[in-house]
Amino acid sequence: MDFGLVLQTDPPASEVVGLMRRAERNGFQYGWTFDSAVLWQEPFVIYSRILEHTTKLHVGPMVTNPGTRTWEVTASTFATLNDMYGNRTVCGIGRGDSAMRVAGRKPNTLARLGEAIDVIRDLAEGREALVDGSPVRIPWVREGQLPVWMAAYGPKALALAGQKADGFILQLADPFLTEWMVKAVRQAASDAGRDPDALTICVAAPAYVGDDLAHARDQCRWFGGMVGNHVADLVAKYGEHSGMVPEELTAYIKDRHGYDYSHHGRADNPDTAFVPDEIVDRFCLLGPAEAHIEKLRHLKDLGVDQFAVYNMHDAKEATIDAYGAEIIPALTS
């Protein structure tokens, strides 16, 4: 199993770079960031510094979207980083939640997302693609590689990930839901004539190592609120008891009342009081190192290739170090 670190690009950027360097020293192979241009600093500028100050770490957004940048700009940015630092980027992509809504736009449609996945990958790898009906090719790309991993929850999005993406990002660490969603993605890949085992499966969730569960839950409760945004969209689309989405995912948002993106992904988010302890425990990794190892082994058995640690709480350095000292060796030995 590989490990990734997920950060927000809060200023100063030097701290983000420092934490990524610390992660690489502790055995992490991937460095991810949020991508929401209004809420945080521009990640691609910071990726250049991260890549300059690491040797093997792969970097990318968790996640970008097809709406905030034109597709040829996204592809050229990735291709430039790869040319400078040797194919060490990965494009995590989704419909766009905070990035689009904060700017007063709706998240992208799945049709647009599916088209963007193909175009961005083709352009970044030097192939011609149609951009708004016009053939475009980036002529200076040589031996470019850009895996595109798609974030998804709902049945149509899971199907699209299986049909189009090189990897699937699931932003929660509940084993039941992981098994259900991985199965859906792989079935869609098989139905599309693709090799389902060739897809990389990445689970991303907060992790907090320590014995004080009450404090850990409070530090990670924001995650249930963030996931709740996507769940609310699913309920609006499919209905609360449609059978299209497991109630293990949807039931907890019944007491949800709106969401303020100014607290997005932060431990002090006041809009997450509706998230019960049970959901925090299911969606996150909490407790002593042994508890993390046990749950990660379960996820690995379900086909998870990477666990990406959302590191937005009051123990960033300690979490990175604990994973490096005890947890990563147990899953990679």
Side-chain angles (χ1 to χ4, degrees):
M1 179 181 275
D2 289 338
F3 287 84
L5 184 72
V6 190
L7 299 174
Q8 295 167 334
T9 51
D10 288 315
S14 59
E15 290 189 5
V16 178
V17 176
L19 287 169
M20 291 298 187
R21 294 179 69 187
R22 190 184 197 113
E24 184 179 59
R25 291 196 301 270
N26 276 280
F28 288 77
Q29 295 93 350
Y30 286 79
W32 303 92
T33 74
F34 283 29
D35 177 18
S36 189
V38 174
L39 297 177
W40 301 286
Q41 292 186 329
E42 171 55 39
F44 286 93
V45 177
I46 299 172
Y47 296 157
S48 188
R49 295 291 290 172
I50 295 169
L51 290 166
E52 182 181 2
H53 289 285
T54 57
T55 58
K56 297 180 180 179
L57 201 71
H58 287 68
V59 304
M62 189 175 282
V63 293
T64 193
N65 72 88
T68 52
R69 299 176 182 84
T70 59
W71 302 348
E72 70 274 18
V73 170
T74 298
S76 181
T77 305
F78 277 113
T80 301
L81 291 171
N82 284 337
D83 186 65
M84 292 171 69
Y85 299 105
N87 289 329
R88 288 167 55 201
T89 68
V90 57
C91 177
I93 195 167
R95 293 176 60 227
D97 177 35
S98 63
M100 297 296 286
R101 286 179 165 136
V102 165
R105 306 185 187 103
K106 293 182 179 179
N108 297 270
T109 65
L110 288 176
R112 180 173 171 81
L113 176 56
E115 185 181 357
I117 288 172
D118 288 337
V119 169
I120 291 169
R121 183 199 293 117
D122 283 344
L123 291 177
E125 295 186 346
R127 295 182 294 276
E128 182 179 284
L130 289 178
V131 179
D132 295 330
S134 297
V136 175
R137 186 178 72 85
I138 302 176
W140 48 263
V141 173
R142 298 288 184 272
E143 300 181 355
Q145 296 176 17
L146 183 66
V148 181
W149 299 3
M150 179 182 156
Y153 292 108
K156 291 184 179 179
L158 294 169
L160 181 63
Q163 294 158 7
K164 296 275 190 180
D166 302 300
F168 164 50
I169 297 171
L170 173 58
Q171 291 163 309
L172 53 80
D174 175 73
F176 173 84
L177 292 171
T178 298
E179 182 175 17
W180 186 86
M181 293 186 186
V182 168
K183 186 179 296 184
V185 169
R186 287 190 165 149
Q187 185 61 55
S190 180
D191 291 345
R194 307 178 72 203
D195 179 1
D197 294 327
L199 270 76
T200 301
I201 307 298
C202 175
V203 161
Y208 199 105
V209 183
D211 295 324
D212 188 343
L213 276 178
H215 181 73
R217 286 168 179 150
D218 286 344
Q219 287 292 304
C220 298
R221 198 174 306 276
W222 63 266
F223 185 66
M226 187 184 84
V227 173
N229 287 329
H230 303 287
V231 174
D233 287 344
L234 295 178
V235 171
K237 183 177 181 66
Y238 297 106
E240 189 174 351
H241 305 291
S242 65
M244 297 289 287
V245 182
E247 292 195 21
E248 287 85 351
L249 177 61
T250 61
Y252 83 98
I253 69 162
K254 62 182 184 299
D255 295 323
R256 176 182 180 271
H257 302 290
Y259 191 81
D260 181 355
Y261 281 93
S262 66
H263 304 283
H264 191 53
R266 301 191 185 279
D268 60 352
N269 192 328
D271 296 322
T272 57
F274 71 94
V275 180
D277 287 350
E278 176 202 0
I279 288 294
V280 183
D281 292 348
R282 282 174 46 204
F283 286 9
C284 305
L285 275 77
L286 312 175
E290 294 78 10
H292 292 243
I293 292 167
E294 180 181 2
K295 191 167 187 178
L296 287 168
R297 283 177 173 157
H298 191 177
L299 292 171
K300 184 178 181 181
D301 290 343
L302 295 174
V304 174
D305 300 298
Q306 179 183 151
F307 176 60
V309 176
Y310 274 108
N311 204 27
M312 297 89 179
H313 47 56
D314 64 1
K316 292 182 178 68
E317 292 87 355
T319 298
I320 294 169
D321 293 347
Y323 263 71
E326 301 181 73
I327 298 166
I328 292 176
L331 273 295
T332 55
S333 58

